[in-house]
Amino acid sequence: MEVVNGESEINEKKLFHGTSRWDPQVLCTGNQGFDPRVSNDGFYGQGVYFAQNPDYSHLYAHRVRKRTGSSPSLCTSEEVFQIVLASVACGISKDFGPQVDGDTRKLRRPPPRPSDQTTDQTTQNDLLFAGDTLFDSVRAGPHGNEHGSSIMYIVYDSLQAAPDYLITYVWRDDMDLDSD
C-alpha cells in the first residue's frame, strides 16, 4: 500500500475465506495467518482468495464432521462446516472482471499499475506489465459455482489479511440457498 500526501489507500474489506482441508482453527489461533505460499494455484495464480458472498466460500469450506439423523423420519444428513470472516487490506485492486487466461493463472503478485505514458497503440498486455508500482490486490468476477456467484479479491502478501471470526454452521442435504 502506498501513502500519498499523508493519505493511504487501505480499502479494508470484510470478506469470506474457505480453507478446504486445512483446519481454520490453526489459521485463526496461530501466528502463520493467511500464507499465499501454501495456497493452490487458481484463476489468478498463487494468492489467498476471498469472496464477498459467503455462499461462494461454502464450496471451499472446511468440513468439520458429518451427522446423520437418528430416526427414520429424520433421514437427512447434516454436515458441519467452517469458513473464516477476515479483514482484508485490498488497497488499489487490478480489476480483471471475469477474465481468466494463461497470464492471470501465472500471477504470483499483483500486476504493475499502468504508467502515465500510454498511446493509442498501447495494448492491454502493455498496461498489465508497464510501470514499476504494483497494484495491491486483484479483484475478479463475478465467478460462480453451484452455491452462487461472488466478486473475489486475491492478495499475495500474508500481511494484507487477518482472520476476524471463525464461522461454524450446519449444512443439510435438503437445504436450498434460493428459498426465503
Side-chain angles (χ1 to χ4, degrees):
M1 297 310 121
E2 181 178 326
V3 176
V4 180
N5 297 328
E7 294 184 27
S8 65
E9 293 284 338
I10 293 176
N11 190 19
E12 182 179 306
K13 297 186 178 297
K14 300 291 186 186
L15 301 169
F16 298 92
H17 178 79
T19 61
S20 297
R21 67 181 186 276
W22 302 102
D23 183 352
Q25 289 279 357
V26 174
L27 187 145
C28 292
T29 59
N31 60 2
Q32 300 296 318
F34 294 100
D35 188 347
R37 296 173 300 174
V38 297
S39 67
N40 295 324
D41 287 353
F43 287 162
Y44 304 94
Q46 189 175 3
V48 182
Y49 289 65
F50 297 92
Q52 286 181 332
N53 181 349
D55 294 343
Y56 186 85
S57 292
H58 174 70
L59 182 63
Y60 306 97
H62 176 69
R63 181 180 291 165
V64 178
R65 66 182 175 275
K66 185 168 186 164
R67 299 187 315 198
T68 304
S70 57
S71 73
S73 63
L74 298 172
C75 59
T76 63
S77 63
E78 295 180 338
E79 295 186 68
V80 179
F81 291 95
Q82 292 177 322
I83 58 175
V84 176
L85 178 62
S87 295
V88 183
C90 295
I92 299 172
S93 298
K94 166 62 181 161
D95 191 347
F96 280 104
Q99 174 190 343
V100 176
D101 58 31
D103 289 334
T104 64
R105 291 178 183 275
K106 293 178 190 172
L107 290 172
R108 296 292 178 259
R109 63 181 191 176
R113 294 186 202 172
S115 67
D116 291 352
Q117 285 76 39
T118 59
T119 67
D120 290 341
Q121 274 89 29
T122 302
T123 66
Q124 180 67 21
N125 208 32
D126 293 332
L127 292 176
L128 288 177
F129 302 104
D132 57 359
T133 303
L134 300 178
F135 283 98
D136 301 307
S137 64
V138 165
R139 180 184 190 275
H143 290 290
N145 62 37
E146 67 268 23
H147 298 293
S149 65
S150 184
I151 297 294
M152 299 181 325
Y153 287 88
I154 302 91
V155 297
Y156 302 87
D157 183 335
S158 60
L159 298 177
Q160 284 181 256
D164 289 333
Y165 297 98
L166 178 59
I167 301 169
T168 302
Y169 59 97
V170 173
W171 184 267
R172 287 192 330 258
D173 289 341
D174 61 350
M175 291 177 86
D176 181 7
L177 289 173
D178 296 325
S179 65
D180 293 328

